Amino acid sequence: MSLRIGDTAPNFDADTTTGPINFHDWIGDDWAFFFSHPADFTPVCTTEMGRTSQLAEQFASRGVKPIGLSTDTVAEHVKWIDEVNDTQNTNLVFPIVADATLTVAKAYDMIHPSESETAAVRSVFIIDPNKEIRLTMTYPMSVGRNFDEILRVIDALQTGDKYKIATPADWTPGDDVIIPPSVSDADAKTAFPQGFETLRPYLRTVKI
Ligand code: BEZ
């Protein structure tokens, strides 16, 4: 059965490029960006690993730890990281899970047999400090992910948690946000003393 938003992220023990981890302990009080890729020494994956590494400060400033996974070994990951660093001009330090037995990939439904029986598709799980899955995305093997969107959705989730708001289409930080319909006008006046705009009773926007 596939994992859904709101589920607890399955815990696991695994070897990674930075040593053995217990996943929940490793997340600790941070958020996690857990992403799978089909295989080491492949072109699209190389660019994704490089991009994640280049964005290290962006992830850290949001309290998010990246962690990759493919169904290869630690020894293969380590050799490949050298090539990622070389070709993508970076210094990759986040862990990559070695999952040659497919144990973790299967627990996270990252194996889509019509694509491959042995390689993971490009899955993303954004996991919060309570170990709750807050977002899932699945991309095919041939399409590299958009890391601006990954950072944007982390910003939207964290802003939503902080202000109890929702975010409109194409929102980016600084844009107006939406007051959820579950919040009465009276409660909205208390929560947002700066005032809000009512376009329809169900569509109220506010600057935060
Ligand atoms: C790639 O990373 O380039 C890739 C991996 C598996 C299938 C297709 C592309």
Side-chain angles (χ1 to χ4, degrees):
M1 185 153 127
S2 58
L3 293 171
R4 294 179 174 161
I5 289 171
D7 288 350
T8 299
N11 197 14
F12 58 85
D13 295 303
D15 283 336
T16 80
T17 49
T18 58
I21 61 161
N22 172 273
F23 189 48
H24 283 191
D25 290 348
W26 177 84
I27 295 173
D29 295 329
D30 292 310
W31 291 61
F33 162 52
F34 183 32
F35 65 115
S36 59
H37 62 274
D40 297 354
F41 304 102
T42 53
V44 177
C45 300
T46 298
T47 62
E48 289 190 322
M49 286 293 153
R51 191 74 188 118
T52 304
S53 175
Q54 290 161 2
L55 291 170
E57 283 180 21
Q58 295 289 330
F59 284 112
S61 69
R62 291 162 173 82
V64 179
K65 291 173 173 169
I67 180 166
L69 175 146
S70 71
T71 56
D72 301 287
T73 63
V74 166
E76 287 162 331
H77 287 339
V78 167
K79 273 193 216 151
W80 179 46
I81 286 171
D82 277 347
E83 300 193 6
V84 171
N85 287 340
D86 201 27
T87 60
Q88 308 303 303
N89 194 26
T90 190
N91 177 29
L92 192 159
V93 294
F94 63 84
I96 305 176
V97 173
D99 192 34
T101 60
L102 315 188
T103 310
V104 181
K106 284 185 178 166
Y108 277 81
D109 200 27
M110 293 165 168
I111 304 290
H112 294 202
S114 302
E115 281 285 291
S116 167
E117 295 278 357
T118 55
V121 293
R122 298 184 197 282
S123 302
V124 170
F125 294 88
I126 305 289
I127 300 164
D128 73 15
N130 294 324
K131 321 300 180 276
E132 181 181 323
I133 295 172
R134 301 293 301 275
L135 172 126
T136 66
M137 288 190 337
T138 310
Y139 271 55
M141 293 188 178
S142 56
V143 179
R145 284 159 281 207
N146 182 322
F147 285 78
D148 289 337
E149 171 60 4
I150 286 163
L151 293 175
R152 188 196 77 90
V153 79
I154 290 167
D155 287 334
L157 287 167
Q158 294 183 342
T159 303
D161 285 359
K162 184 170 177 187
Y163 293 101
K164 311 287 179 240
I165 52 78
T167 52
D170 294 335
W171 176 89
T172 55
D175 292 349
D176 291 359
V177 298
I178 287 174
I179 301 171
S182 56
V183 178
S184 68
D185 275 346
D187 287 346
K189 279 179 191 149
T190 308
F192 306 106
Q194 68 271 41
F196 55 88
E197 191 177 351
T198 303
L199 288 95
R200 290 289 184 277
Y202 60 84
L203 178 54
R204 295 164 299 171
T205 60
V206 64
K207 290 189 194 311
I208 52 169

